[in-house]
Amino acid sequence: MARIDLVDLAHSYSGNDAPPESFALKPVTMTWRQGGAYALLGPSGCGKTTLLNLISGIVTPSRGKILFDGVDISHATTQKRNIAQVFQFPVIYDTMTVGQNLAFPLKNRGVAPADIDKRVKQIADLLDLTPYLNRKATRLTADAKQKISLGRGLVRSDVAAVLFDEPLTVIDPELKWQLRSKLKALHRELDLTMIYVTHDQTEALTFADTVVVMHDGRVVQSGTPAELFDKPAHTFVGYFIGSPGMNIIPAQVGGHAARIDGHTIALSRRYNHLPSGAKIEIGVRPEFVDIAAPAPGLLSANIERIDDLGRIRFARVRVGEAKLAARVPPGFSPSGDTAGLVFDPSHVHVYADSLLVEGAA
Amino acid sequence: MSTIPGRRIIMVTFLFFLLLPIYWLVNMSFKTNNEIVTSMHLWPYQPTLANYRTIFTDESWYSGYINSLKYVIINTVISISVALPFFNLYSAINLFDTPWAVALAHCIFNVPLAVWILEGFVSSVPREIDETAFLDGYSFPRFFVKILIPLIASGIGVAAFFCFMFSWVELLLARTLTSVAAKPISATMTRTVSAAGVDWGLLAAAGVLTIIPGALVIWFVRNYIARGFALGRV
Amino acid sequence: MEKTVNQRAWFLVLPVFLIVAFSAILPLMTVVNYSVQDTFGNNQFFWNGVGWFKELLDPHTDLGERFLASVGRNLLFSAIILAIEVPLGIVVALSMPRQGWQVAACLVILALPLLIPWNVVGTIWQIFGRPDIGLLGYVLNRIGFNYNYVANDLDAWFTVIIMDVWHWTSLVALLCYAGLKSIPDAYYQAAQIDGASRWAVFKAIQLPKMNRVLLIAVLLRFMDSFMIYTEPFVVTGGGPGNSTTFVSIELVKIALGQFDLGKAAALSLVYNLIILIVCWIFYTVMTNAGADRPAKESVK
């Protein structure tokens, strides 16, 4: 069990001399607290697996440090780090039974047979694998195999962190949900640091108390699911999380107002010193834009279509060049192709070069 | 892939062991018979191309090569295409004393082997793919040509390599099934043993020439083979 | 999900059956026909029943003695080359470079002996082993071994075995390499995390994953070594004496040398039967090794 600190950690697969832009993981400094449930979320190729492999020691960092409880283990072997990792595809030792699979890491470390038996029983119980202990592991289903992979990590009592690399990829949908609940239960029970890599926001948001969003080799935001939703720190987070994603619209911002397409929208905060020359955009989630009948005070938009998601309806509209999604209030039915847009000022954020700008009160 | 300590030494030693006899054969093929019998040198002191010249100018020698290549290619093609149950190009007319006969006999060994190798590749194609294809309205032959064959292309490469290998290297069948017209090089080679003793230089040169087609085949398919070996269970 | 049985598939494999039938079953029937007859030449045949088979399996007759002795020699030969080639092939496969041009280079050189015609392999070693003109024979004699494969039984065996190792270890190595390459990296990473030693990785991951290719390798090598003809025939001609006369050489001696078709046919049938039985045993043993049985050593 450990707190994990990353200090200016960066990695390039083509060595330290590669141009900074080509790094698979750009320099990051952050802390993962002991006992936290983290999700590393991002599209394929964003560097999340690289970060995971750096923590597990499969990859050695080009620069920076990794500390486990304050001890530098950047160059320690995987074995010394005492981490457990569950891979995308189940890794099972074919010739062994479930019990032997679970005992393998302990046997390798020379633990006394009596202790191994006790620990294996305990973990098998925890993972509901007891009935299968004497079965060959190859014949089990994918979800049972993933449990075994997890069990091989948990069986070591001193495990510092459990890492998951998209572990539910090969699992059937209804079992996915079960296994995820199992993981959450285990997390509460065992007080382990868990890091879960995924590109599926539902998985990330339901599993983790802290979600770390990565984009293009950078950690762009780390926060609770609510924070990511309410206050995306980067336009990418706004766009990537939520369905549909956040509306990002180019605008001119000054004081308490933003101008879009010649129209002024009120902002709840004051923005006076925006960096000059930066690309200024406003971001607002579709949930906080309502469409209404066209009126002189409202930004007018062309309705392209309306998506009915059951509990909520979203209109896809166009304002000049920009495409937006907006909520259709219950009971409202637009007449004709044009509509007015009503923004909720407290949920309109301002971004300069894709980064969130904090306004003054 | 994980490897073992001292792997470089093991590999180099083994490759040296493989190459040494071949080197000796090449070395001898450039020597005169007189030099071969009277001295022991690691390279030819009086290099000569006479042995090769004999082979390339004597029709009974070089026609052997042509026959060999002919039946090996025929055999490889038949085995692969039949194993892929695809072309029904077989009709048994006038089979004896043609390269076809030898090639056909090889199929006893090659067809099951090709089926075996290809089975591994075909079964590694996810079932969803062919189900999707049928749902998309592909007919079976079209599915075969458009989807399955490209997917298992490297498998076909490996199977072809094996078929080539096993038919190229065979002597026995060629000797018993054909008389003169379709004699492959391996059968022709036995002619160097005459009443006057063995013409070692000529024998070595003929041997070297039989290694070359194989070496060329390997060289051209080397990446294919590596990939094919890696993909299939073989 | 069960795959629906597609009856059309049978028509597509029909050509395979036809070819195998034409090239395997017809000759086999001919052989069976010969095996129960006797001939005095001039294409006149007489019914002989199981007479040849009785003689073949009875060590007191001349034919039986020769047959059983050659089978014994052949089994010993197969056992020796399997014992050398399989472990050596695995070691070579494990020693393959990880990446880069060296991989291609190694593959090409490894595959080279496999693509040399068998009689040329025989020729290469016939030359290479001769004390007068061959490097191996010359060097061995220079460093004090009285090596001569034409005169000495043991030297002849040594030559035939090292020739087979030279010729075929690559096949085992290539098959094993293919098996090793198909293991996903995650296995090695998991093993690293589980703290497995090099030996444990080999036993728990590499060997089980090579199971199937090893089965193929062992079967191919057994069949080929048990049917070996060309290479020892070229090098030793079955001698000195009968010391390297393997079953196939004996068979050809009887069939072509003495033109005793009945005897030869009976011999080849029994010969095929032995190969089938041994292959079946290998197959059963090796596939069972990976089957789902309660392991003997369970976690108590």
Side-chain angles (χ1 to χ4, degrees), chain B residues 3 18 28 85 168-169 186, chain C residues 12 115 118-119 127 166 198 216:
Chain B
T3 45
L18 290 188
M28 269 181 63
W168 173 247
V169 296
S186 37
Chain C
L12 291 161
L115 282 174
W118 296 353
N119 63 332
I127 294 172
W166 179 84
R198 185 71 200 70
I216 297 180

Side-chain angles (χ1 to χ4, degrees), chain B residues 70-119:
Chain B
K70 232 189 273 176
Y71 94 76
V72 164
I73 290 164
I74 293 171
N75 176 42
T76 307
V77 170
I78 300 184
S79 298
I80 295 298
S81 49
V82 173
L84 270 172
F86 191 51
F87 299 122
N88 195 349
L89 47 63
Y90 170 63
S91 62
I93 332 150
N94 286 333
L95 277 176
F96 279 90
D97 210 23
T98 64
W100 291 89
V102 185
L104 208 59
H106 271 304
C107 293
I108 306 171
F109 192 67
N110 275 337
V111 169
L113 188 80
V115 169
W116 197 2
I117 292 171
L118 288 171
E119 186 266 337

Side-chain angles (χ1 to χ4, degrees), chain C residues 41-60:
Chain C
N42 297 335
N43 267 348
Q44 291 185 323
F45 289 92
F46 303 92
W47 175 250
N48 190 31
V50 292
W52 293 128
F53 293 96
K54 271 189 181 155
E55 204 179 319
L56 204 59
L57 297 175
D58 182 355
H60 302 298

Side-chain angles (χ1 to χ4, degrees), chain A residues 4 10 27 38 73 76 116 131 180 220-221 224 235 265 273 284 303 309 321 328 348:
Chain A
I4 301 171
Y38 290 90
I73 47 86
I116 295 184
R180 215 159 53 213
V220 286
Q221 187 171 11
T224 63
T235 50
I265 293 172
H273 303 290
V284 57
I303 300 178
L309 305 184
E321 286 297 293
V328 183
V348 179

